[in-house]
Structure formats: C-alpha cells, structure tokens
Amino acid sequence: MDKAYKFRLKPNTEQEIALAKSFGCCRWFWNYSLNLCQETYKTTGKGLTRNYIQGLLPSLKKEYEWLTDAYSQCLQVVALNLSQAYQNFFEKRARLPRFKSKHGKQSISYPAKVKFEGDYLKLPGKVGLVYCVRHREFAGTIKTVTISKNPDGKYYASILVDDGQSPLPPLIRGVPKAGGATLNQGGDEDGGIDGKAIGIDLGLNHFAITSNGSKYDNPKHLAKHQRNLKRKQQKLLRKKEGSNNRQKARRKVAKVHSKISRCREDFLHKLSRKIVNENQVIAVENLNVKAMVRNHNLAKAISDCSWGMFCTMLKYKAEWQGKTYIEVDRFFPSSKTCHVCLNQVGSLSLDMRIWTCEHCQTTYDRDINAAINIRDESLRILSLGTSDTAYRGDVRPKAGRKSVLRQSPVK
C-alpha cells in the first residue's frame, strides 16, 4: 500500500538557487508542451502522446542549454504528468490542464535515486544533500519524491512510500445496531467486533454533530485571522508594482494564508483520527459542496469548514484500519424525519433547531436527530446489501421523468 509522508526542507542559499532553476525549467517545459498539444489539436484534431513529448527533450536541450540545469528525469516526469492531466480531463475527474505561472506554488518530482542519509535528503543532480526535518519515521521503499515551494517561501518534500502491506478488508463480521450492540453474523466466539456505528451531520454553527450527542464546535480559522489578513493585504495594495517591497508584502500575506491552512488541517486530522479510532462504521451525508458555495451569504463559511477534506480523511483512514466508511444520499430527509416513529414533516426552516414530532410528541435537537437518521440509514444499507434509500432514488430525476428506485450491491 502506498502512503505519502510530508517533511519540511531547509535548503541553503546555493540549493535554493538550484531548486529555483529546476522549478523554472520544469515549468517552462510544461507550458511549452501544453501549448504544443493545443496547437496540434487545433490543426489535426489529435493530441500528443507522452513518448512524443519526452522525445522532444534532446533537441530542446541543444536549442536551450539552460534546460540542463534541471535533472533529466524531472523533465521526463513533466510529460507523464501532462498526459495524466489530459486523461483525468477526458474521464471527467478534473478540468482542462492550464499553463503554470512563476507566481504561486512550485514543484518538481524525482522518480528515483532519492534516499535519506541521516537528517539529510539526498537529491540527484545539482541539489545534493538537503537538510530535512524528520519528525516521524517510516518503513518501506521510496518510490517518488516531490519537492515543492509554497508562496510563503517554505520548502517541503512529499515522499511516496510502498510499505509492502495490502489494505485491510472491511471487518464487518457483526454489523452494529443503532443502539451500539452487534448483530452476530458468525465469526469469533466473542460475537464479532466490539465496534460502534456513528452518524455525522456536518454544519456551520457546530462543525460536526454525532449520533451519540457529541457536538464539535466550528473553529472558524479564517475569522480568527481575518483582522491580521486584512491588515497585511492593505499594506500589499500600497506597495508599488514590481518593487521588492511588494514582493516582501506578498510573502507576508502568503504566510497568513499558510497559517490558516495548517491550523485547519491540524483540526481535521485530529478529529477524523479520533472518530475513526472509536468507531467501526462511519456514516456521513454526501453533500454537494460545489453547489452550496454558490450561496454568496454562506460561501466563505462553507469553504472555511472544508467538509470535503474532512470526509476524504475519514475515508482513507477508515480504509487503512479495515473499517467501513459509507455516504448516505444527499436527498435523504435526515433532518425532516423523526428517528423514533419515522414520521416525516413537510417543511422545516433552518432557524428551527429544536422541534417536536406531531406523531409521537418527541422533542429533540434537529442536528442530533439528523445524525441518528444518517447512522440508521447507513446500517440499513449495510444490512440489506443495497445502496438504495428508503425514501427516494439515489439520483435526482430529470424534469418530466418519473423517479426510479435503483438498487446495486455495495462495493
């Protein structure tokens, strides 16, 4: 199984110059290849293969001698990344590749011949030994190393390692009930896994509300640093275009953004690790964040929460430990349904946080009720072995077409 480890690098002045030249060469070759692909497609209607792009390097190095400042395999990886970017576009996983700028984040990849020598990372070519802050150890074979420079001027190394282990299969010998007990389906004498199922409802006032009644406050990292960020941006606007002082001011703004990003990732990592360690089945709602941020009143708050990143962390951490991660359909009425009698109300405004069921006269918190319904729906899907919902299909029907209830095995 492949895992990536990120370490901080602290190069000296000569190494910074060598890395800057490598960044520039790889960026230029990317833009040159991308422009050539676009021009070829306009004239012939066909694209260029990776082997053809890599075959241009010998003649380009004779024409532009400064291309030899970069390690040869780093330039070959550029062709690989460009072909993969086009493949992701045609398979609708990403948008069309764009040209790269010297402003912003810079990166290069070393596919081989990279190793650790004590506290130093040895890079092939003209860079040599770079001091690395090894805050953790890892076991496995190094496959690829990506060196990046953030806009705030910090260098990082992302090391892809093959640990030689296979991902653990989901351990569902006993599917947990809604109350936390376990349904025995054979297995060990102790009745399977002593695990629990949890449903998570994501929000803005509270970042996450679980089915067991726990509420995790929204840190609101952007709001905490908003005043400092505003002051730094105002100073940036007063600097003259193209001056050194403007470059210094830009770096100060980038440092504030980097601080916000690191605080957010730290919170998401700790919370996702806690939830995965304490539960066997993790159920969340499949939110359409891309459409939700179109609301200009809530776009900044929704983006600051990073719900998508949080769900991604839950997913891969659950897979590593052989636990089950499941997403409930976004159209499932989790907030409008009473988890006691399953009575569904017609409408429920956002300002109504506590409501009483008209059928069973049960009063409960809106968010906790939604989390419980998400948990129960995920357990129902796991027990039945189908991904259909109890209320409607998993895809919104088009106008004028009847709703179709789809059933498919859970993968």
Side-chain angles (χ1 to χ4, degrees), residues 224-251:
K224 291 180 180 179
H225 298 83
Q226 189 67 44
R227 183 180 179 183
N228 186 24
L229 180 62
K230 178 181 177 181
R231 184 168 59 249
K232 295 292 192 302
Q233 289 175 335
Q234 288 175 343
K235 292 182 179 180
L236 173 62
L237 292 176
R238 289 193 289 265
K239 305 301 179 183
K240 185 179 179 180
E241 290 282 349
S243 63
N244 291 332
N245 288 333
R246 184 175 179 85
Q247 296 297 329
K248 296 178 182 179
R250 288 185 60 184
R251 178 167 296 186

Side-chain angles (χ1 to χ4, degrees), residues 38 88 124 126 129-130 180 193 220 261 271 274 293 298 365:
Q38 293 179 354
N88 292 336
K126 301 179 181 180
L129 295 174
V130 183
I193 301 174
K220 299 181 180 180
S261 177
L271 181 57
K274 180 179 184 299
V293 295
L298 301 176
D365 185 273

